[in-house]
Amino acid sequence: MVAKKPQQNPLVCHGHSRPIVDLSYSAVTPDGYFLTSASKDGQPMLRNGSNGDWVGTFQGHKGAVWQCVLNEPALLAATASADFSARIWDAVSGDVKHTFPDDHIVRSVHFSQDSNHLLTAGYDKVSKMKIYDLHNSSSEPQHFQAADSIRFASHHRNDSLILSTYVDKPNISVWDVRSHQIVKTLETTDIVLSLEIVNSNLFITADGKSVKLWDANSFQVVKSFGFPHKVESASYSPEKHKLAAGGEDMWVHLYDFDSGEEVDCNKGHHGPVHCVRFAPGGESYASGSEDGTIRIWDTEFSSKQDEQHSANGVAH
């Protein structure tokens, strides 16, 4: 008897009224780990990372929020908004600690490793990226000038480098923080819609119909995956050797990284999938969509089903 493969029923997190554009997990803390979501509704949210339960909403932005991230101990949050500002929040109380006004849309925020500095990036015509000293927030930031608007920027290699991607053009730029100059350009075929720093040795990107895992030290591609459709986001779990990807087909795909075989094809979103991220340890992964929902999926769902079928003597 051939059994029909069951579909996973994820944890579904409601609350946003407009598309989810970014998801980010915190590191594991004494209180567990957390999940932040950014949305075009301008209401970034904080959730329990393991079960998706709502913890709070950071209220105050007057436009879409493009990114919301936590610092290493998950005590501070940072947001990037279309209201021409970046903000620092107390992640426990939800209060605004500081607002950094900008001359244009802010698309990306990232804490330094020690949480002493905040990197912001976006559309500003004069200074596309800035680094603010959080211990002296009124001081003039460091300015990085680029010709093109920046989609995403992240500290790298103990904060000595910055990786940036662009809104309207392909490639990844590697910046030296001391000189404020681009020291290397990593070529991609299409615009990079997603870049995730996996750890100090790896990062993963999605551009066009391609997902690439990069060596973060040599900046060489370790492995590349091709897709039949446009991929908007990808995430990699080194613990589970699994790759998650989502895009315009509205499904959330899970792959075995070593074999390239699709392990799960998760259906349920009612719009393109804009972001996917693995939780710390890789036991689960979250997806955010145009439909305004977040869904949390079990990484081992298919393995558990296989074990159950084997125990029941059912072929599949």
Side-chain angles (χ1 to χ4, degrees):
M1 174 183 174
V2 177
K4 184 180 179 181
K5 189 173 181 179
Q7 281 290 310
Q8 183 174 172
N9 292 317
L11 296 170
V12 182
C13 308
H14 297 282
H16 285 292
S17 60
R18 296 202 61 204
I20 312 291
V21 292
D22 189 71
L23 294 172
S24 179
Y25 279 101
S26 74
V28 178
T29 75
D31 297 314
Y33 61 88
F34 300 91
L35 173 65
T36 54
S37 55
S39 168
K40 290 184 180 179
D41 65 10
Q43 302 289 315
M45 294 185 185
L46 177 69
R47 298 179 182 273
N48 180 307
S50 59
N51 59 24
D53 285 352
W54 178 84
V55 175
T57 301
F58 301 109
Q59 296 181 321
H61 279 296
K62 304 300 182 185
V65 173
W66 288 105
Q67 192 171 28
C68 178
V69 298
L70 294 166
N71 69 342
E72 190 75 14
L75 297 176
L76 296 175
T79 51
S81 176
D83 67 5
F84 292 22
S85 76
R87 295 190 180 196
I88 298 289
W89 310 76
D90 184 314
V92 179
S93 69
D95 295 333
V96 177
K97 292 179 70 71
H98 198 81
T99 299
F100 297 106
D102 209 286
D103 292 331
H104 215 302
I105 293 168
V106 184
R107 283 293 300 256
S108 179
V109 282
H110 192 262
F111 285 102
S112 61
Q113 207 166 40
D114 59 10
S115 301
N116 289 333
H117 296 86
L118 182 73
L119 169 66
T120 70
Y123 292 13
D124 188 330
K125 292 180 181 178
V126 177
S127 176
K128 295 293 192 297
M129 292 193 302
K130 303 176 182 71
I131 295 179
Y132 292 93
D133 183 345
L134 297 184
H135 291 301
N136 188 9
S137 55
S138 60
S139 63
E140 184 69 14
Q142 298 180 54
H143 293 274
F144 295 76
Q145 297 182 359
D148 301 279
S149 296
I150 292 177
R151 177 184 299 273
F152 172 85
S154 174
H155 290 287
H156 177 54
R157 201 176 288 173
N158 296 320
D159 302 333
S160 64
L161 300 176
I162 293 170
L163 302 181
S164 73
T165 65
Y166 298 93
V167 173
D168 297 318
K169 76 170 191 178
N171 300 340
I172 302 161
S173 294
V174 183
W175 300 75
D176 177 78
V177 171
R178 284 189 175 183
S179 68
H180 297 191
Q181 299 298 313
I182 294 172
V183 293
K184 195 173 185 66
T185 298
L186 312 180
E187 294 186 358
T188 62
T189 305
D190 288 283
I191 294 169
V192 178
L193 296 181
S194 169
L195 189 156
E196 177 193 29
I197 306 289
V198 178
N199 53 39
S200 60
N201 296 315
L202 297 167
F203 64 92
I204 188 169
T205 59
D207 70 285
K209 297 180 179 180
S210 172
V211 170
K212 300 180 182 71
L213 190 72
W214 302 74
D215 184 305
N217 298 303
S218 67
F219 297 114
Q220 299 298 309
V221 175
V222 175
K223 197 164 187 176
S224 182
F225 296 83
F227 291 80
H229 55 83
K230 183 180 177 182
V231 181
E232 292 196 31
S233 184
S235 185
Y236 174 60
S237 169
E239 297 90 351
K240 299 294 184 181
H241 291 271
K242 294 291 193 299
L243 169 76
E248 62 183 14
D249 69 348
M250 299 188 288
W251 298 345
V252 184
H253 302 269
L254 184 70
Y255 297 88
D256 180 280
F257 177 78
D258 298 319
S259 68
E261 178 185 356
E262 186 176 80
V263 177
D264 274 319
C265 178
N266 299 305
K267 302 174 183 178
H269 281 299
H270 302 290
V273 176
H274 297 315
C275 41
V276 293
R277 286 293 179 264
F278 275 102
E283 295 293 335
S284 64
Y285 53 104
S287 58
S289 166
E290 182 76 15
D291 65 16
T293 67
I294 300 165
R295 294 169 189 257
I296 298 177
W297 312 86
D298 181 357
T299 306
E300 302 296 343
F301 176 77
S302 284
S303 298
K304 292 172 184 175
Q305 293 298 314
D306 291 344
E307 290 172 6
Q308 185 177 340
H309 288 150
S310 299
N312 295 336
V314 178
H316 62 95

